[in-house]
Amino acid sequence: MVLMQPLIAITTDKILRSGDEWVPAAHGQSHTYPDAVVHAGGAPFFIPIIDNEVVLRKLYEQCHGLMLSGGGDIDPALYRAKPLPLPKKSHQMLSPQRDRQELLLLKWALEDDKPVLGICRGMQLINVALGGSLYQDLATEMPEAANHELSALQKDFNHLAHTLKIDSDSKLSHILGTDAVKTNALHHQAIKQLGKGLVATAHAEDGIIEAIELPDKHFVIGVQSHPETLEMATEISWNKLFKAFVKAAAA
């Protein structure tokens, strides 16, 4: 039996409204995440950051696929590293509560073999959950690497900063129908050591890992860029990724 419009759960971030600490934070994400799911034929819903595991499980059980969205840095303690004194304080916004919740959601999804799509931080979380590690700041730890924040510097998610080389044998290559695709760049962290069972399936020109897969699962793909902002106009090849994700969730 094939489901119509599978439900896709999208993780959220803590957002300070009006920029003031005293105002209760909102839990949400950019509209581009649910937009991409709708464009692909799915029905998205946001999962708020909550401390009640019973409630979280009920929300999880409603979904047919899990999208791990972008956001702030993952706590370095989760990959056995000490925090580096980074030059930009904005890069050090940690959310242990979000980390715990997303690691639990991912654990359940992997156990149930539900489709998972990780975007930017979401890809990094998949890697950390499976025992991998991260470069906390590419400019600090990999000064020879290209600038992976070019789209952010341009203040334009549609700025195509580089071309990814995709492994022709990968699921991602088969989905996109190509071994090269242009994308944006808005990250200062990247995968350092791959987690158990993961395969790096796309790289930037400087060798930085830009996509991962977990071959022994039905559909687990992570991408380091933000294709959800590109898939309708700027680089429409990315729409195929969201369609494949939603189709896997409907199976």
Side-chain angles (χ1 to χ4, degrees), residues 183-200:
T183 197
N184 47 23
L186 301 108
H187 62 104
H188 79 105
Q189 298 195 319
I191 288 178
K192 185 175 184 179
Q193 179 181 350
L194 277 170
K196 184 178 180 181
L198 290 170
V199 177

Side-chain angles (χ1 to χ4, degrees), residues 22 63-64 89 116 146 153 191 212 214 222 238:
W22 65 272
C63 80
H64 305 108
K89 290 184 179 180
V116 177
L153 292 173
I191 288 178
I212 57 174
L214 191 58
W238 284 113

